[in-house]
Amino acid sequence: MDTDVMGIVRKPKLTEIADMKALLDEAAAARQVLPRELSEMLENARDFFVYVDEEGVGGMAALHIDLVDLAEVRSLVVRDRLRGRGIGSMLVEATVEEARQLQIARVYAFTRQPEFFKRLGFEVVDRAELPYKALKDCQRCPFFAQCDETALVRPVPPAEMTGVA
């Protein structure tokens, strides 16, 4: 893995949402992620993290809160030529850290790339363990009846107490 990463992972600027949407649309066309409307991305801009380098937005992931103790890592996309450099891992870890700060006990993902998530501490679960997801995004997915995604969950241990409230 080439770890010579020159960009940064951070929260997006609203002016970057159009570039994020273009990146997401390309991945959705390849059935890598669910499509999202621009209005939905704007409404949920604070859910996202982006990887930005000198070429602009090169990757993104979102932490979407479902319940007080459960959130989804979703819309994980990395520009083709940046894959294999650890950027996807950095984006997922940013979402997990945010979940930790929010005291969310578990994060999950639905993916066709389960090995990637397993390397990051996620474990395969029966999709029935995530009924909320099935009532939400899955029903609007064009592949709902023939879903080939794997459900994975990762526990999020609480942050260390630092004496600061």
Side-chain angles (χ1 to χ4, degrees), residues 35-138:
R36 305 267 174 218
E37 295 296 325
L38 181 61
S39 60
E40 179 185 5
M41 292 180 71
L42 285 164
E43 289 169 4
N44 296 293
R46 291 177 287 185
D47 287 0
F48 287 94
F49 286 89
V50 289
Y51 168 82
V52 180
D53 60 16
E54 64 279 352
E55 295 180 43
V57 176
M60 62 189 223
L63 179 73
H64 188 77
I65 299 168
D66 290 327
L67 303 168
V68 70
D69 63 346
L70 183 67
E72 179 183 15
V73 177
R74 69 183 190 183
S75 301
L76 174 62
V77 179
V78 176
R79 192 183 316 133
D80 283 344
R81 66 182 170 277
L82 293 176
R83 291 188 182 154
R85 297 184 182 188
I87 294 165
S89 297
M90 291 180 353
L91 288 162
V92 170
E93 292 302 335
T95 65
V96 171
E97 181 55 32
E98 184 170 56
R100 179 176 286 107
Q101 295 303 318
L102 293 170
Q103 298 182 349
I104 296 170
R106 297 181 307 151
V107 295
Y108 70 94
F110 276 73
T111 183
R112 289 180 191 86
Q113 304 293 328
E115 295 307 316
F116 169 80
F117 283 92
K118 285 179 184 178
R119 287 192 301 271
L120 297 175
F122 286 73
E123 294 183 3
V124 174
V125 296
D126 187 303
R127 64 182 54 248
E129 290 185 38
L130 301 165
Y132 188 81
K133 172 70 174 176
L135 295 173
K136 199 176 55 142
D137 286 337
C138 288

Side-chain angles (χ1 to χ4, degrees), residues 145-165:
Q146 300 87 29
C147 183
D148 60 352
E149 291 189 319
T150 301
L152 298 103
V153 171
R154 176 176 164 179
V156 180
E160 294 288 324
M161 296 301 293
T162 61
V164 179

